[in-house]
Amino acid sequence: MSNAPQSEASTLSKIYYSKPSIGPLEAEYAADAAANGWAEHCFDYLNRFEKEFAEWLGVKHTVATTGATGALHMGLVALGIQPGDEVILGDINWIASAAPIVYLGAKPVFVDVLEDTWCLDPEKVEAAITPKTKAIMAVHLYGSIADMDALLDIGRRHGIPVVEDAAESMGSRWKNGQRTGTMGAYSAFSFHGSKTMTTGEGGMFATNDDKIAHTVKALNAHGRLPGQTKQFWADMIGYKYKMSNIQAALGCAQMQRLEDLIERRREIMAKYRARLGNLPLALNTEPEGTVNGFWMPTIVVNRDVKTFDRQALLDDMVAHNIDARVFFWPLTMLPMFEDKPQNEISYSLYQRAINLPSYYDLKDDEIDRVCDIIRRHV
Ligand SMILES: *Cc1c(COP(=O)(O)O)cnc(C)c1O
């Protein structure tokens, strides 16, 4: 045995950053799909999941996929995005929103975000439009909602479709009560293990546009158009981003618990707010008349707290067995893209922000432990 003093961390239970909530219903459905979901039942959970998700969201068409990335990719293809085209999106983002643009040889044009929602700044979007702009991608970051009124208005005036990456915003509603993912030309959701609901890995494409839905259903099945009766006949080169029936079984169980899963995210956010609200920092916003699904509680320390050191806070979290995470980097800092420090808010935000642990079974005393550490650093 080592004589080294036991570190404080080893005596404290680990607080994870994110963990799904998987109960007996999920296990039952997944086991049923594995045992019985073949032959004439091979699409039962898949069809049910797509239908129930469409009803919950309030859209006409849904296509279950391997993830949001594939859904975004097929949507861009359906819009006809070509090499050399430009797609505008926020600089603070997960790479999955930008990668599909690059797959198509198009150019992601990264503009600055707003200080409070961390989503697209509509004025910056309008200023970035060129004759090559073929889409505006509104990513609803960490559950916050991009200003859809302004973005849809810009889209209409310039004849450019606005699409929604709603991977992080299940449960969020815009001012008119509409859920995120129902307002743009199409939207994508993610059921990655860290997201509000999960199928292990998985995603959903959603749209009210019949033509886009028709194309995406074909693209998701190796280019075989819906209704095509010729066997092994492809009408175009497509992709294979289909979700499996077993994953969809997990999805059906999570759908039954969805309102509870969302409510729990909101409850955890309220607990963080009650403990941290008096510190010189901002938490996820919920503008008047909107609902935030609060996928990921996040703190952004005020600019005037000059002593704040993000790395020191993260190191302290690790030392106390807490798995907190950095805020997304400005994507233009990554080696594949050109630097764009003129996106001043994006380049300032990431240095002042971290994501806090949040998952269904997170306990109050664990939230206390996280907040105690933050208080030492802010
Ligand atoms: C998780 C996520 C994605 C990617 O989802 P996958 O299901 O992993 O493909 C895309 N965009 C955003 C904003 C995300 O958070």
Side-chain angles (χ1 to χ4, degrees), residues 67-69 72 93-94 96-97 139 165 167-168 190-192 195 201-202:
T69 312
L72 289 169
N93 242 320
W94 176 225
S97 307
V139 184
D165 179 343
E168 304 182 356
S190 172
F191 311 127
H192 175 260
K195 299 285 161 65
E201 294 280 0

Side-chain angles (χ1 to χ4, degrees), residues 98-116:
I101 301 167
V102 179
Y103 298 164
L104 296 173
K107 184 182 173 202
V109 174
F110 298 104
V111 304
D112 212 356
V113 297
L114 296 168
E115 172 81 30
D116 55 351

Side-chain angles (χ1 to χ4, degrees), residues 1-311:
M1 252 180 44
S2 154
N3 290 325
Q6 227 185 7
S7 75
E8 200 180 346
S10 66
T11 65
L12 294 166
S13 64
K14 168 120 176 164
I15 300 177
Y16 290 90
Y17 163 68
S18 163
K19 237 182 351 186
S21 169
I22 301 297
L25 192 65
E26 285 82 352
E28 181 196 322
Y29 282 18
D32 179 50
N36 307 308
W38 311 105
E40 71 268 35
H41 298 298
C42 70
F43 298 128
D44 286 3
Y45 280 109
L46 207 46
N47 291 337
R48 173 177 159 189
F49 184 39
E50 287 179 342
K51 183 167 174 288
E52 288 183 359
F53 197 89
E55 282 166 7
W56 172 81
L57 187 59
V59 297
K60 268 169 89 176
H61 308 283
T62 48
V63 183
T65 61
T66 50
T69 312
L72 289 169
H73 186 187
M74 292 189 291
L76 292 170
V77 173
L79 288 185
I81 302 295
Q82 302 278 331
D85 289 346
E86 294 175 359
V87 177
I88 296 174
L89 73 168
D91 201 347
I92 289 277
N93 242 320
W94 176 225
I95 185 66
S97 307
I101 301 167
V102 179
Y103 298 164
L104 296 173
K107 184 182 173 202
V109 174
F110 298 104
V111 304
D112 212 356
V113 297
L114 296 168
E115 172 81 30
D116 55 351
T117 62
W118 319 319
C119 296
L120 275 174
D121 179 340
E123 279 182 27
K124 302 277 167 56
V125 169
E126 189 145 28
I129 291 174
T130 75
K132 292 180 179 171
T133 308
K134 293 292 150 56
I136 297 165
M137 188 185 287
V139 184
H140 305 301
L141 218 71
Y142 300 129
S144 283
I145 313 173
D147 184 344
M148 289 306 290
D149 292 351
L151 293 173
L152 290 168
D153 178 58
I154 292 167
R156 258 189 304 272
R157 283 190 283 107
H158 293 268
I160 299 168
V162 178
V163 306
E164 296 179 85
D165 179 343
E168 304 182 356
S169 66
M170 287 193 76
S172 298
R173 289 176 186 265
W174 185 232
K175 287 169 184 161
N176 47 16
Q178 266 186 292
R179 292 191 188 282
T180 53
T182 62
M183 297 173 275
Y186 65 78
S187 63
F189 290 84
S190 172
F191 311 127
H192 175 260
S194 66
K195 299 285 161 65
T196 298
M197 66 170 270
T198 190
T199 58
E201 294 280 0
M204 192 71 81
F205 180 89
T207 185
N208 282 312
D209 186 308
D210 297 340
K211 204 163 151 258
I212 289 177
H214 189 72
T215 306
V216 168
K217 282 176 190 172
L219 290 173
N220 204 29
H222 272 315
R224 291 172 293 161
L225 284 166
Q228 175 58 262
T229 52
K230 262 193 270 183
Q231 292 180 339
F232 295 130
W233 182 267
D235 300 280
M236 64 183 96
I237 289 289
Y239 302 87
K240 185 70 189 301
Y241 286 132
K242 282 174 128 174
M243 177 183 274
S244 79
N245 193 57
I246 298 176
Q247 288 170 296
L250 278 170
C252 288
Q254 293 259 291
M255 281 308 294
Q256 283 186 241
R257 301 181 48 221
L258 184 54
E259 294 313 316
D260 184 37
L261 295 175
I262 292 167
E263 200 41 50
R264 184 67 185 133
R265 296 269 170 187
R266 291 180 52 78
E267 214 171 80
I268 289 169
M269 189 69 230
K271 287 173 189 288
Y272 275 121
R273 203 179 296 285
R275 287 160 175 77
L276 301 172
N278 58 351
L279 295 176
L281 51 78
L283 293 139
N284 313 50
T285 54
E286 189 172 54
E288 188 71 28
T290 69
V291 177
N292 190 325
F294 291 133
W295 169 58
M296 183 65 64
T298 297
I299 56 166
V300 181
V301 175
N302 293 355
R303 281 180 195 246
D304 55 13
V305 184
K306 302 288 183 211
T307 53
F308 179 67
D309 179 342
R310 180 173 81 155
Q311 195 53 49

